[in-house]
Amino acid sequence: MGLTSEATVYVTAAVAVVCVALLVWLWPQLASRGLRHVLGRLAAIGVTQAAIIAAFACWLNSSYQFFGSWGELFGDTETAPVGVTQASIGHGAGNGVTAKGALIQPATSEQLNRVSGLPTGPAAVNGRVESVKVIGRRTGVVDPAFVYLPPQYFQKAYARQRFPVIVTLSGYPGSIFNLAEHLRVSQTAGELQKSGRMQPTIMVMIRPTIAPPRDTECVDVPGGPQTETFLAKDLPEALKSGYRVGHDASAWGVMGYSSGGSCALQLTMRNPGVYTTAGALSPDYKVKDDPTTGNLFGSGPGRVNRVDEHDLMWRLQHLPAPQVSVLVAESKHGERGYPQTLAFIKAVKAPMRVASIQPEQGSHNFPTWVREMPGTLQWMSRQLTFPQDVVPRHHPKKSAAPGTAPMGRRP
């Protein structure tokens, strides 16, 4: 049984019910004095509580997909195959993603099948959401992702166009299921694009937790997970190998909620040659060590510099401002980060630009972020260029260069 399957939820719930029933039934027999009976009562209470907690945890995880498999739960994560050095583009049927051996591979659709409101019917009319695995050539990371492709991606009129990309990051310990079902990334983007309020854009939903259960906060941990490298180098490289996406940073944006919003700001301000636009919903502005992160910055003389460089306020005060555009969203009442958000907005200086969404009321939760999503996506769309460039026409006498798509054809 899969960790997120309904069968697991039902089995753990049934075990909890049986344990409660046995506790009630056997309690009179354990009511006598004596060490054996005292230990029996403690054991019965402990087992029953553990069963109830396990059932609740399985239900919660099934609903929000914090961990997608037993391996993730126990820290046994998949790694990329040794020897993957470049993409191998496929053009077959199926879900339209690249073939085995590429940096983008088809993935099971178990989580995707549970998401409501996804596009159906002809892709050229309604678009499509694909379930894939992203393989990091440098980091060896294998991370699941959902990719929303707009209808124009499949239309002949756009057959040679490369599309802008918005990478959407979940918070911790969130998952791509949260992005698709609870934040409703592809559904919102599809509605905005269909109504003309947002230009055709590819939406990539991915989690920054590449070494679960550890929260690496999009940091390259010395001697540990290289999350920034994966998101700033491996992910764009993989997407460019598998889809018609823009090749210039002006076509790339990144957004997220909670710690995913913090990552979006970090990635954009630290890597302006990769992402030029960020949307951050309820972010923090400084990366700190805590029990979920462990030691993110290592030790030795370089630790202080690494800590400072991941403090966005320090960067704004001591380093040249990057030429990027960012949007920050924080509620005036109900979220504790509002003063820090105002301070960040005030500290931004040219050529960096900042916009904000400041609802009067809101909490650190999905209902608040869902309200902020349409405005954030529309603003980000206006910052990204489209059409950014074109795919060269195919010449039948020339073969495609290694690691690239045959010219004139959709990867």
Side-chain angles (χ1 to χ4, degrees):
M1 293 182 295
L3 178 61
T4 61
S5 68
E6 291 185 356
T8 301
V9 176
Y10 292 144
V11 168
T12 54
V15 170
V17 170
V18 170
C19 286
V20 171
L22 288 175
L23 178 64
V24 174
W25 179 262
L26 296 175
W27 191 257
Q29 301 178 36
L30 300 173
S32 302
R33 295 181 179 181
L35 179 61
R36 184 169 62 88
H37 291 90
V38 170
L39 293 177
R41 290 196 294 271
L42 291 174
I45 293 172
V47 170
T48 302
Q49 289 183 333
I52 294 173
I53 292 172
F56 177 76
C58 285
W59 169 80
L60 191 65
N61 186 70
S62 180
S63 299
Y64 291 95
Q65 301 282 313
F66 297 125
F67 299 97
S69 67
W70 294 105
E72 285 185 15
L73 178 63
F74 296 109
D76 182 17
T77 56
E78 186 179 9
T79 56
V82 177
V84 175
T85 56
Q86 62 184 16
S88 174
I89 306 302
H91 304 279
N95 70 349
V97 298
T98 50
K100 183 178 180 181
L103 302 180
I104 297 288
Q105 296 184 1
T108 61
S109 57
E110 177 183 346
Q111 293 188 65
L112 194 59
N113 290 339
R114 301 178 58 199
V115 178
S116 61
L118 295 180
T120 57
V125 177
N126 300 315
R128 184 167 69 195
V129 179
E130 299 179 342
S131 178
V132 301
K133 291 186 294 185
V134 178
I135 298 177
R137 184 173 62 85
R138 298 167 183 80
T139 59
V141 170
V142 178
D143 211 19
F146 294 150
V147 179
Y148 166 77
L149 303 171
Q152 292 84 353
Y153 190 88
F154 304 95
Q155 297 171 4
K156 291 184 179 180
Y158 295 86
R160 297 180 58 240
Q161 300 294 340
R162 300 189 187 274
F163 288 76
V165 181
I166 295 179
V167 174
T168 311
L169 303 174
S170 64
Y172 176 83
S175 68
I176 56 176
F177 179 82
N178 288 352
L179 293 169
E181 175 66 15
H182 300 294
L183 196 61
R184 305 193 69 75
V185 171
S186 58
Q187 299 89 324
T188 304
E191 292 171 2
L192 292 173
Q193 293 179 37
K194 188 174 182 179
S195 64
R197 290 175 289 169
M198 182 180 177
Q199 64 184 340
T201 304
I202 293 174
M203 304 295 300
V204 179
M205 292 159 271
I206 197 165
R207 60 181 186 179
T209 309
I210 65 170
R214 186 178 185 182
D215 178 13
T216 54
E217 290 285 334
C218 294
V219 171
D220 279 352
V221 180
Q226 303 293 289
T227 312
E228 183 175 15
T229 295
F230 174 74
L231 293 172
K233 295 181 179 180
D234 284 346
L235 177 62
E237 177 187 53
L239 293 172
K240 289 173 184 177
S241 77
Y243 295 101
R244 291 199 321 276
V245 297
H247 282 197
D248 189 82
S250 63
W252 285 76
V254 57
M255 69 169 293
Y257 65 88
S258 190
S259 61
S262 306
C263 285
L265 291 177
Q266 292 276 344
L267 288 169
T268 302
M269 293 179 64
R270 290 173 54 83
N271 302 274
V274 179
Y275 299 104
T276 57
T277 303
L281 312 182
S282 306
D284 290 321
Y285 302 95
K286 181 178 181 178
V287 177
K288 302 177 182 178
D289 289 343
D290 64 33
T292 67
T293 66
N295 184 356
L296 292 174
F297 303 106
S299 57
R303 175 180 169 82
V304 173
N305 288 337
R306 289 190 288 270
V307 171
D308 286 342
E309 289 172 0
H310 285 85
D311 182 339
L312 299 185
M313 295 298 292
W314 184 92
R315 296 184 69 89
L316 290 173
Q317 294 168 7
H318 295 89
L319 300 177
Q323 190 167 346
V324 297
S325 299
V326 303
L327 178 146
V328 291
E330 193 88 23
S331 301
K332 296 179 181 178
H333 304 285
E335 293 193 87
R336 63 182 181 181
Y338 187 64
Q340 290 76 21
T341 294
L342 292 182
F344 176 82
I345 294 171
K346 185 177 180 180
V348 170
K349 54 184 180 291
M352 184 175 172
R353 297 187 300 164
V354 63
S356 66
I357 296 177
Q358 302 178 35
E360 287 294 327
Q361 296 283 344
S363 300
H364 197 82
N365 56 28
F366 283 110
T368 297
W369 300 323
V370 167
R371 288 169 49 213
E372 297 166 345
M373 273 286 292
T376 301
L377 288 177
Q378 290 178 79
W379 179 86
M380 293 185 70
S381 179
R382 291 193 295 268
Q383 316 308 312
L384 303 178
T385 56
F386 175 75
Q388 196 232 346
D389 50 19
V390 296
V391 180
R393 294 188 183 278
H394 176 65
H395 194 291
K397 294 183 180 180
K398 295 181 179 181
S399 59
T404 61
M407 295 183 290
R409 296 180 63 183
R410 185 183 79 79

